[in-house]
Amino acid sequence: MEIDAVASWFASLDGRQPEKCPKKVNRTDRPVSTTEPRTGRWGWQDRLLLAGALVLPLLFGLAYYFLPLGRQPVPVKLDASRFDPSTIPFTSRSLAPSLTGDPRITHVRFCDLDQDGLMDVLVCDAFAHRVLWIRQGPSNRWEERVVGTERSVLAPGHAEAIDLDRDGDLDILVAGLGSLWPTDDAVGSVAWLENVDNQRFVPHLLLQDLRRVTDVQAADFDNDRDLDLVVAEFGYHRGSIFWMENLGEGRFRDRLLMAVPGTVHVPVADWDGDGDPDFAAVVTQNEEEVWGFENLGGGQFQRRLLASTINFDFGGVGLVRCDLDLDGRPDMLWVAGDNYELLSHHPQPSHGCVWLRNEGNWNFSSRRLVTFGGTYGAAVGDLDGNGLPDVVLVSMFNNWRDRQAASIIWLQNAGGGRFVPWQISSHPIQLATVDCADVDGDGRAEFVVGGAHITKPNEPLAHLLLWRAEGGPTTTGAGR
Amino acid sequence: MRRTVVLASVVIVECLLGAGGLYLRSRQPLPPWPAQHGLNRLDEAALRRQYQNACRGWASDWIELARSYAAWGFWPEAVACYEQACRQAWRAAPEWLFECGFYSGQLGRADQAVQYLERAIAEGYKDPEIVWFFVAQNQLRQENAEEAKVALRRAELLPAATYELARLYNKLGQPEQARRIIEPLTRSFRFHYAPFFVHLRAAQLLGDEDEERRAALEWLSLAYPLRSPFDDQHDELSRRLENTPYRQGLRYAHQLLSDGKLDELHAHLERLLEAEWSVEAADLMAEWATREGRVAQAEQVLRDAIQRQGATLHLLWRLGDLLFDTGRFEEAWDVWEQAAVVGRGDRELDQFLTYVMLKAEGRGEVVRGKQYDAARWLAEGRIRLARGEFQDAAGALRKATELAPGDPQAWYLLAEAARCNAQPSVAREAYQKCLLLVPHHGRAQFALGLLR
């Protein structure tokens, strides 16, 4: 039937009715004239061509359907940050091999807690709700001691060694997150682990029923010769920055300074050089800002916005006090690398670290030092022993599906404000925190990193590693 | 003759088109397969099937694969699939363009995101306001304030866009403008904290300390977030992840448990745990062992789960239960005490404490029972306060203060609940009680100062 229809259409091209079907043609009634043009007849060529014209689309369609695609997959850009390998080799060793379970180290800090002249490490382990003291003994031996448990602080997020009661030994101040996971619930706390007798620590809960607390720092803000505290109550959607006036005998009165969510760090320094301690604060939730709090005396502070961006996805994670240009004025490193809003994460162009250079009189110029996906921790120390402070950065959320993606890099201070990035290692992955100090007294800084396993992939992970540079200083070169 | 020529031409054209099509198909790239995906065997098999489907080359299969990749967090692969599907389809659906733009933005490729999103609008996406909202977000990512403002104005039917616009005005140092924009939203969303944040920021920028204190107190008290189109995307991804084979397997295990098909359950759980260890599967295995009377095995599974995943209220509650039922009461109390500490932020804490209180009373341990009774009312009050159920919170906290009148936290939280519940006199009295117990309680002083 269809052939008839198509034949009819073709016949119309010749201006005559087609020969329909041989059976229906009465050849006796209508003898074929020898003069009749042959164009009206369907020869075998026409029939073949017609059949081809009809069948070919079907054949090509089937071939199209069954023919496999090309061999090359569509190109995918993973956006992982990689750098040239460091010309100084670094080696690592585990500091706490007994730690088990998922690594969830939220903070590491070098300090000489027992004041024996050897650097120790304070560690916050949010997995087991413990504060650990990794004590360095003679001959490079390290031993672990638990100094805080869940009874004193839940999910510790930050610990500092400081003589809070001014009795000559170092106590520990702990910021209690309460929960590693985002929540606005009042689960946070501020704890003081009082060093009462040769590193026997007694916990005191200074403040509880706070939203998640990420940092607590001590300084004599009101100039009454005792140490007050400034607290970053991160929360989630709501939070605050407040200071706690030391009333003596372990009592503190909290005073709200600014209601704002997402404050991660509140580093204390004399930012304006007027002789009294001020502090800065990095806000990372809702807004991406760095604030300065100028100490006016008598418990009064004046807020100053030092740096900000309207890029809500900047990913601020921290603020580190430093003096990169060695001009005697404290600078800051504004660290960015968070990106966990949508069940997953990905390195962003804004990740890395920005140097906020103190120009004096509360003016800070900003300069990006490096773009490094998922940066979560930064520390400053002279890694190559050339007398200039370098920067170590660790990444939590680089794209780990690229096995060469950097997890630790250092920015070699080549002088004149020039910093050259070098990749130290691509493993372990998911590192949350780093601190730098000259542990062995050789004039070059070592650094310790802590891992926090939040999401896949599940390896290679580590809890706590001490890294040290081997060999001599490197020549400078351009990193990627 | 003419017919033959035409027919031959048709055949030649068909051959050319067909050959061209086949050539193009042979040049068409394969879909990407994520390197180092880290998926368990069950989920990988399901994803592999979708990948094979996409290998047929149809745009709709690429889109399905892209959506699965997006749910797993393989965003670069997802965007590559979306782009390929949009290229090869006769006409790219606006939804595909929107999704491609959205995930490009998540990857930080803001410029590309804006292009796709604007194409989605041009192609007639059903909710252009939502697309404009994300266009604005990508303009903000590039710090293009003016373009972001324009896009947010186009999306201003969405409360979230109005909120973002007001926030942007604050950031640009125009707090009065921000206040003007947010005012209607503040009235419409009286119990949502987001609009009050704009007021708070405006007051901070203007140096209006009294207004800042008031706004801060209001903002810190309210419980409800303002929903944004981003939340919809989050929910969509969560829904997809909930329907992965492994998650479905866990749901099926629950079904088997409730149906009492223990043999089948055990085999099923072993398959799940072989594919990937998870705390949910381990918990179910412990439950199976308990029901089968294999107490030692159940205890071992729970302790292993705690070791691997960390101590949680749920796991410790279950472990304590197991110890209690086998007569190891002191061990059970210890474990439950730890559960009460680590479960401080858990939304099931009040139920747990009630359960433990009943256990204590059942064993005639009156003192312990009273302690847990006070603790459970405090926990319930705290949870209801966080949920914005101020009246119920006040009721629970009132009981907590009756049972433990020397607990300043209970008085403080009661005051907070009463203040949020518009009962200033009750709040004032409770703050004062709190301050009698802890005279340096800064937050109580702050709130009481504002109530006066």
Side-chain angles (χ1 to χ4, degrees):
Chain A
M1 183 191 73
E2 278 147 8
I3 290 230
D4 284 349
V6 176
S8 165
W9 180 76
F10 272 102
S12 69
L13 293 173
D14 291 339
R16 52 177 298 138
Q17 284 300 310
E19 200 176 5
K20 291 247 177 177
C21 179
K23 282 181 184 172
K24 291 181 183 173
V25 177
N26 188 341
R27 289 174 189 273
T28 53
D29 291 346
R30 194 171 166 275
V32 176
S33 165
T34 51
T35 57
E36 190 171 320
R38 292 180 64 81
T39 48
R41 302 193 59 178
W42 284 80
W44 65 269
Q45 298 98 327
D46 292 350
R47 289 175 188 275
L48 189 64
L49 284 169
L50 182 59
L54 293 174
V55 170
L56 273 175
L58 184 67
L59 288 177
F60 276 120
L62 285 171
Y64 191 88
Y65 186 81
F66 287 109
L67 185 75
L69 302 182
R71 290 183 182 170
Q72 291 299 318
V74 67
V76 174
K77 202 171 146 219
L78 289 178
D79 301 325
S81 299
R82 298 179 182 189
F83 301 87
D84 283 342
S86 172
T87 47
I88 297 181
F90 286 82
T91 55
S92 68
R93 61 170 287 186
S94 173
L95 278 191
S98 71
L99 288 180
T100 56
D102 253 2
R104 277 180 217 153
I105 305 298
T106 50
H107 187 235
V108 289
R109 175 68 84 216
F110 278 118
C111 62
D112 182 7
L113 193 62
D114 52 2
Q115 301 179 75
D116 63 351
L118 295 173
M119 274 291 175
D120 311 316
V121 188
L122 270 182
V123 179
C124 292
D125 177 8
F127 178 86
H129 307 286
R130 292 185 304 189
V131 179
L132 296 168
W133 171 30
I134 314 289
R135 181 177 177 273
Q136 187 186 180
S139 313
N140 201 19
R141 285 179 55 243
W142 298 80
E143 59 188 48
E144 303 160 37
R145 283 195 207 171
V146 177
V147 291
T149 66
E150 75 267 10
R151 312 272 166 183
S152 46
V153 64
L154 206 57
H158 195 106
E160 293 283 345
I162 189 144
D163 184 7
L164 190 62
D165 52 5
R166 304 227 154 164
D167 63 353
D169 54 22
L170 287 174
D171 310 304
I172 303 170
L173 264 178
V174 189
L177 282 166
S179 166
L180 199 58
W181 315 114
T183 173
D184 258 334
D185 291 350
V187 291
S189 59
V190 176
W192 167 36
L193 307 181
E194 184 187 2
N195 190 344
V196 289
D197 174 25
N198 202 20
Q199 284 70 248
R200 190 171 66 80
F201 291 90
V202 174
H204 304 275
L205 209 51
L206 298 183
L207 203 56
Q208 58 176 329
D209 269 333
L210 299 168
R211 292 184 168 93
R212 297 188 304 157
V213 178
T214 44
D215 195 11
V216 53
Q217 298 287 335
D220 182 9
F221 289 114
D222 52 3
N223 196 26
D224 61 356
R225 298 186 178 184
D226 57 21
L227 288 174
D228 311 301
L229 308 177
V230 57
V231 179
E233 185 191 24
F234 184 102
Y236 182 30
H237 293 299
R238 274 125 346 127
S240 69
I241 301 165
F242 59 89
W243 78 289
M244 295 170 68
E245 182 189 357
N246 192 338
L247 304 173
E249 297 169 352
R251 292 174 307 127
F252 290 80
R253 177 189 292 135
D254 52 303
R255 294 174 189 269
L256 182 70
L257 290 174
M258 188 175 180
V260 67
T263 307
V264 180
H265 289 146
V266 281
V268 174
D270 183 9
W271 299 108
D272 53 3
D274 66 353
D276 57 19
D278 315 297
F279 73 93
V282 60
V283 174
T284 66
Q285 196 85 344
N286 273 3
E287 314 297 333
E288 294 283 354
E289 298 168 335
V290 176
W291 288 83
F293 287 78
E294 182 185 359
N295 189 349
L296 303 176
Q300 300 297 310
F301 293 86
Q302 183 181 348
R303 278 193 304 252
R304 295 167 187 273
L305 185 59
L306 304 180
S308 71
T309 169
I310 60 169
N311 176 8
F312 66 96
D313 221 4
F314 179 72
V317 290
L319 195 63
V320 178
R321 188 186 60 199
C322 58
D323 184 9
L324 288 187
D325 51 5
L326 299 175
D327 66 351
R329 285 194 291 244
D331 309 319
M332 299 177 219
L333 281 180
W334 187 9
V335 188
D338 192 33
N339 182 230
Y340 204 67
E341 283 83 7
L342 198 66
L343 304 174
S344 196
H345 53 83
H346 195 79
Q348 301 289 312
S350 58
H351 290 175
C353 94
V354 173
W355 176 19
L356 298 177
R357 187 168 179 269
N358 192 340
E359 308 284 357
N361 199 26
W362 289 103
N363 290 314
F364 286 78
S365 60
S366 74
R367 199 187 117 200
R368 175 167 287 273
L369 292 185
V370 71
T371 295
F372 178 25
T375 310
Y376 233 72
V380 175
D382 182 8
L383 264 65
D384 54 3
N386 68 354
L388 298 172
D390 310 302
V391 180
V392 187
L393 299 170
V394 295
S395 173
M396 180 92 150
F397 296 131
N398 205 342
N399 196 333
W400 303 124
R401 290 193 291 116
D402 178 345
R403 284 287 167 103
Q404 303 304 315
S407 65
I408 311 172
I409 67 168
W410 70 294
L411 308 180
Q412 185 182 27
N413 190 340
R418 189 163 160 260
F419 288 84
V420 185
W422 300 105
Q423 182 158 332
I424 292 175
S425 184
S426 56
H427 57 273
I429 60 173
Q430 301 192 33
L431 299 174
T433 175
V434 58
D435 197 24
C436 236
D438 184 3
V439 170
D440 51 13
D442 66 351
R444 294 200 301 188
E446 285 74 35
F447 62 92
V448 61
V449 300
H453 181 218
I454 301 294
T455 181
K456 286 180 179 175
N458 299 333
E459 58 177 5
L461 303 171
H463 287 85
L464 207 60
L465 292 178
L466 177 71
W467 291 79
R468 65 176 80 231
E470 304 290 333
T474 181
T475 54
T476 58
R480 250 190 304 242
Chain B
M1 185 61 193
R2 196 170 153 199
R3 178 197 300 148
T4 309
V5 170
V6 172
L7 277 170
S9 306
V10 169
V11 168
I12 289 167
V13 168
E14 282 180 355
C15 285
L16 287 174
L17 286 176
L22 291 178
Y23 174 74
L24 286 178
R25 183 168 170 84
S26 71
R27 304 280 295 176
Q28 194 179 326
L30 287 167
W33 178 253
Q36 318 293 338
H37 51 70
L39 297 178
N40 64 58
R41 202 164 39 78
L42 297 173
D43 293 339
E44 185 190 348
L47 198 61
R48 184 68 74 174
R49 277 195 293 278
Q50 284 194 310
Y51 173 83
Q52 298 294 357
N53 288 344
C55 284
R56 293 184 308 207
W58 308 125
S60 55
D61 291 331
W62 281 70
I63 291 295
E64 269 312 297
L65 183 64
R67 286 174 178 156
S68 293
Y69 280 163
W72 284 116
F74 306 141
W75 294 343
E77 286 83 356
V79 166
C81 288
Y82 278 120
E83 284 179 315
Q84 179 63 24
C86 291
R87 265 197 299 270
Q88 74 184 59
W90 190 256
R91 177 180 170 269
E95 289 75 23
W96 303 355
L97 294 164
F98 167 71
E99 288 167 29
C100 186
F102 176 76
Y103 289 109
S104 296
Q106 290 304 118
L107 289 176
R109 302 173 192 168
D111 213 15
Q112 176 184 326
V114 170
Q115 287 174 21
Y116 272 103
L117 292 169
E118 288 184 346
R119 270 183 68 192
I121 296 168
E123 293 288 337
Y125 188 78
K126 60 183 186 303
D127 297 312
E129 290 83 13
I130 289 175
V131 189
W132 283 119
F133 179 85
F134 288 116
V135 168
Q137 288 216 316
N138 284 290
Q139 296 291 5
L140 288 171
R141 284 189 173 107
Q142 298 173 88
E143 304 202 333
N144 297 332
E146 286 308 313
E147 289 86 342
K149 265 195 238 172
V150 170
L152 286 170
R153 284 201 194 98
R154 287 178 171 166
E156 68 188 351
L157 284 177
L158 300 173
T162 307
Y163 167 65
E164 292 295 339
L165 185 60
R167 268 180 64 197
L168 182 57
Y169 274 113
N170 265 340
K171 285 179 191 171
L172 297 174
Q174 299 170 39
E176 292 294 358
Q177 184 81 341
R179 275 181 174 171
R180 193 182 59 75
I181 291 171
I182 206 69
E183 197 49 54
L185 212 61
T186 315
R187 285 195 298 271
S188 310
F189 294 88
R190 285 188 302 129
F191 303 108
H192 297 66
Y193 48 78
F196 287 93
F197 182 66
V198 175
H199 284 291
L200 172 64
R201 296 293 288 186
Q204 285 169 350
L205 290 166
L206 291 166
D208 184 345
E209 289 186 10
D210 288 342
E211 175 60 23
E212 183 185 340
R213 282 195 203 99
R214 270 194 296 275
L217 201 62
E218 197 81 48
W219 175 67
L220 288 166
S221 306
L222 296 173
Y224 301 111
L226 192 65
R227 202 169 163 79
S228 88
F230 190 83
D231 298 319
D232 298 335
Q233 297 302 315
H234 184 278
D235 292 351
E236 171 62 21
L237 286 189
S238 305
R239 189 189 58 75
R240 277 193 165 260
L241 276 181
E242 273 307 305
N243 285 314
T244 55
Y246 193 87
R247 304 297 308 173
Q248 285 176 349
L250 285 174
R251 281 200 292 277
Y252 182 59
H254 278 287
Q255 185 63 46
L256 290 174
L257 184 67
S258 62
D259 292 348
K261 296 176 180 170
L262 294 183
D263 289 343
E264 201 179 331
L265 172 68
H266 182 245
H268 181 66
L269 285 174
E270 284 205 321
R271 273 195 300 276
L272 282 180
L273 285 166
E274 189 191 323
E276 183 179 14
W277 185 90
S278 71
V279 71
E280 297 94 332
D283 187 25
L284 282 161
M285 187 61 100
E287 182 61 30
W288 168 83
T290 308
R291 291 202 186 183
E292 288 283 355
R294 304 178 185 208
V295 178
Q297 185 181 346
E299 185 182 342
Q300 183 56 42
V301 170
L302 285 173
R303 288 194 188 279
D304 178 54
I306 291 167
Q307 182 78 13
R308 293 177 75 149
Q309 197 67 22
T312 62
L313 173 73
H314 179 76
L315 289 174
L316 291 170
W317 184 349
R318 304 257 289 112
L319 179 60
D321 229 7
L322 200 67
L323 296 169
F324 196 92
D325 290 345
T326 49
R328 293 147 72 183
F329 301 115
E330 286 313 311
E331 281 181 74
W333 292 128
D334 284 349
V335 168
W336 279 338
E337 201 176 317
Q338 191 191 357
V341 174
V342 301
R344 199 173 148 77
D346 199 298
R347 293 289 169 107
E348 288 184 347
L349 181 64
D350 56 334
Q351 294 166 38
F352 163 74
L353 292 169
T354 306
Y355 178 85
V356 179
M357 180 202 73
L358 293 172
K359 286 279 185 189
E361 286 181 356
R363 280 194 48 81
E365 300 200 33
V366 180
V367 176
R368 202 192 297 267
K370 273 194 175 172
Q371 282 171 353
Y372 278 111
D373 197 13
R376 71 154 167 155
W377 289 117
L378 190 64
E380 186 181 333
R382 198 183 269 124
I383 290 165
R384 290 188 181 278
L385 195 57
R387 281 189 196 146
E389 298 163 6
F390 302 127
Q391 196 170 347
D392 293 339
L397 290 161
R398 172 68 69 193
K399 285 181 181 153
T401 55
E402 284 166 10
L403 288 163
D407 181 357
Q409 285 309 310
W411 286 109
Y412 172 70
L413 292 173
L414 172 61
E416 288 282 288
R419 180 177 61 74
C420 295
N421 199 34
Q423 295 175 293
S425 58
V426 178
R428 207 173 289 124
E429 188 188 343
Y431 282 130
Q432 283 163 346
K433 287 267 174 57
C434 171
L435 286 167
L436 274 178
L437 294 163
V438 183
H440 54 275
H441 199 294
R443 284 168 295 161
Q445 285 174 344
F446 176 74
L448 189 59
L450 283 177
L451 275 180
R452 279 172 181 151

